[in-house]
Amino acid sequence: MTSAKSVRYNWIDWSKSIAIFLVIWGHVPMQSETHTIIYSFHMPLFFLISGYLYNPKGTIKEELYKDLKTLLLPYLIYQFIFYPYWFVRELIVPHQVINIHNSIIQPLIQSLSSDPINGPTWFIYCLFMIKIYSYNIQKKQSIYWLTAGISSLVSILICYWLNQHSIYGTYATHSFFALQIFFFTGQALKRTKIKNIANSLHQSIIWLILSIVSFATFFSMGYTSNYTTLPEIVNFHLLGFTGSCMILGIGFILNQITSTINYNVSIGTMVILGIHWMFIGVFNFAIEKYLHIDNITYSTFIAFIISLLITAINYPLIIFCKKHIPLLLGKIRIPK
């Protein structure tokens, strides 16, 4: 979610804003095909964008320090911000045992081992691992793409083997293998002229139409994130790529529209990622108590409206962090 480059791409800002909205929408409980559609590509999209923006310029020590400061430190801070909500939620669980180990030591160990109590922030931890890993295989530029290609293939096979044997560590470590290929694809796209499509409305529309048709075709074949067969592996990645291309296509079309709100949402994706789940939980709890029901689910439209509301609630927080705590945006400084 961070970039070492000062150059901004408006189409990337639009794509990131749409992507983080899809994250919120996907986390609002709803029983519809929309939920499955969102989950089939929204995280591959974030890794692809992160790969596109990744541009290490320092030594491994400098890059490690920067990523520790702009990824892992905010990641830990968001666990502390989330902790009071998590603790209260644990208190109201029937027959839950509250002691020092369960309420302090265990959540701390979980978060440090990439299994955060603030669930959605697994992405930040995973991105940190992939960035450091990518830097190390970039040291020999002459064979970088060969190494990246082999690494992606091996990682997919490792994830396939883990799924087949029902071996599961944490979501962050599992995703390191499953989604690594999207990060490297983003880096590969940076070396193409893909950004030129954003300057042509005609090309942007063609790109979007082809992406939608391709995605719909592959989605009709079924989707599962826990692939245990070769067809499932292929379809998982085809949906990830074509779904990502759909959102990039929308970003291309919107490229000529400059919006301060969109820019702020784009640079504030980490704030939304780190806080929105708590807002959803509080909102659901209030509605459940008011309506006297358990485990509420919403229609697709109502979930969409709730997601817009939560995005709007997060916006002032983004502005505050932009002015006073850029670290919580994953930034050392805010690019102009």
Side-chain angles (χ1 to χ4, degrees):
M1 292 184 183
T2 61
S3 171
K5 299 183 73 173
S6 58
V7 176
R8 296 206 65 83
Y9 303 98
N10 194 39
W11 57 276
I12 286 285
D13 283 334
W14 281 108
S15 299
K16 285 178 64 182
S17 296
I18 295 170
I20 196 61
F21 178 80
L22 290 176
V23 169
I24 300 172
W25 197 9
H27 284 156
V28 175
M30 57 179 168
Q31 292 181 338
S32 73
E33 195 78 344
T34 302
H35 182 270
T36 306
I37 291 172
I38 291 171
Y39 268 72
S40 69
F41 70 85
H42 73 316
M43 294 320 299
L45 170 62
F46 260 122
F47 279 101
L48 190 147
I49 291 174
S50 297
Y52 190 91
L53 295 176
Y54 186 49
N55 185 32
K57 294 182 177 180
T59 64
I60 181 60
K61 184 177 180 180
E62 292 169 338
E63 290 299 315
L64 179 60
Y65 174 76
K66 183 187 72 174
D67 290 337
L68 283 170
K69 186 174 182 179
T70 60
L71 289 174
L72 278 197
L73 182 55
Y75 164 84
L76 292 174
I77 292 173
Y78 282 120
Q79 308 313 310
F80 282 109
I81 292 173
F82 190 81
Y83 181 79
Y85 164 78
W86 176 88
F87 184 74
V88 172
R89 190 180 64 182
E90 293 295 298
L91 280 176
I92 63 178
V93 174
H95 311 297
Q96 179 70 286
V97 177
I98 301 297
N99 53 42
I100 293 178
H101 178 268
N102 291 344
S103 62
I104 298 178
I105 298 176
Q106 183 174 325
L108 178 61
I109 292 174
Q110 281 184 224
S111 297
L112 292 175
S113 62
S114 78
D115 185 21
I117 57 172
N118 187 351
T121 57
W122 68 265
F123 170 82
I124 304 173
Y125 201 108
C126 186
L127 182 60
F128 170 79
M129 291 191 294
I130 289 181
K131 279 189 171 185
I132 298 303
Y133 178 72
S134 175
Y135 181 91
N136 279 284
I137 67 173
Q138 279 191 49
K139 289 189 290 186
K140 292 188 177 180
Q141 285 288 335
S142 59
I143 59 170
Y144 172 64
W145 294 113
L146 175 62
T147 308
I150 294 174
S151 176
S152 296
L153 178 60
V154 171
S155 292
I156 291 172
L157 293 175
I158 290 173
C159 194
Y160 171 60
W161 183 87
L162 292 173
N163 286 341
Q164 275 206 323
H165 292 79
S166 300
I167 299 173
Y168 200 84
T170 68
Y171 205 83
T173 55
H174 203 79
S175 296
F176 173 83
F177 297 111
L179 301 174
Q180 184 184 123
I181 187 173
F182 296 101
F183 184 87
F184 288 131
T185 299
Q187 289 196 297
L189 287 176
K190 185 166 56 177
R191 302 197 175 200
T192 69
K193 296 183 179 180
I194 186 175
K195 59 180 177 291
N196 293 340
I197 298 175
N199 298 320
S200 169
L201 181 60
H202 176 71
Q203 292 183 36
S204 298
I205 292 173
I206 292 176
W207 174 285
L208 180 59
I209 291 173
L210 291 176
S211 299
I212 292 174
V213 171
S214 300
F215 177 82
T217 301
F218 297 131
F219 190 80
S220 66
M221 299 177 184
Y223 165 75
T224 174
S225 60
N226 297 318
Y227 48 75
T228 55
T229 66
L230 181 59
E232 288 175 349
I233 292 177
V234 173
N235 206 43
F236 172 84
H237 289 93
L238 288 176
L239 285 172
F241 285 121
T242 56
S244 297
C245 286
M246 281 196 307
I247 305 305
L248 292 180
I250 297 174
F252 292 151
I253 291 174
L254 296 175
N255 186 54
Q256 302 305 317
I257 302 175
T258 302
S259 166
T260 301
I261 293 177
N262 174 59
Y263 166 76
N264 287 329
V265 171
S266 175
I267 65 171
T269 52
M270 187 178 286
V271 172
I272 296 175
L273 189 70
I275 296 179
H276 79 279
W277 208 33
M278 179 169 56
F279 287 156
I280 292 174
V282 171
F283 187 85
N284 290 342
F285 180 79
I287 295 297
E288 287 170 354
K289 289 301 179 183
Y290 179 75
L291 298 178
H292 305 289
I293 59 176
D294 295 322
N295 301 318
I296 190 170
T297 58
Y298 306 96
S299 68
T300 301
F301 176 73
I302 295 300
F304 179 85
I305 298 302
I306 292 172
S307 302
L308 284 177
L309 177 62
I310 291 175
T311 303
I313 293 173
N314 273 274
Y315 192 80
L317 299 176
I318 293 172
I319 300 303
F320 177 82
C321 291
K322 178 182 175 183
K323 292 181 179 179
H324 304 289
I325 322 174
L327 182 65
L328 290 183
L329 277 69
K331 310 286 185 184
I332 297 175
R333 61 183 179 83
I334 303 298
K336 302 298 184 181

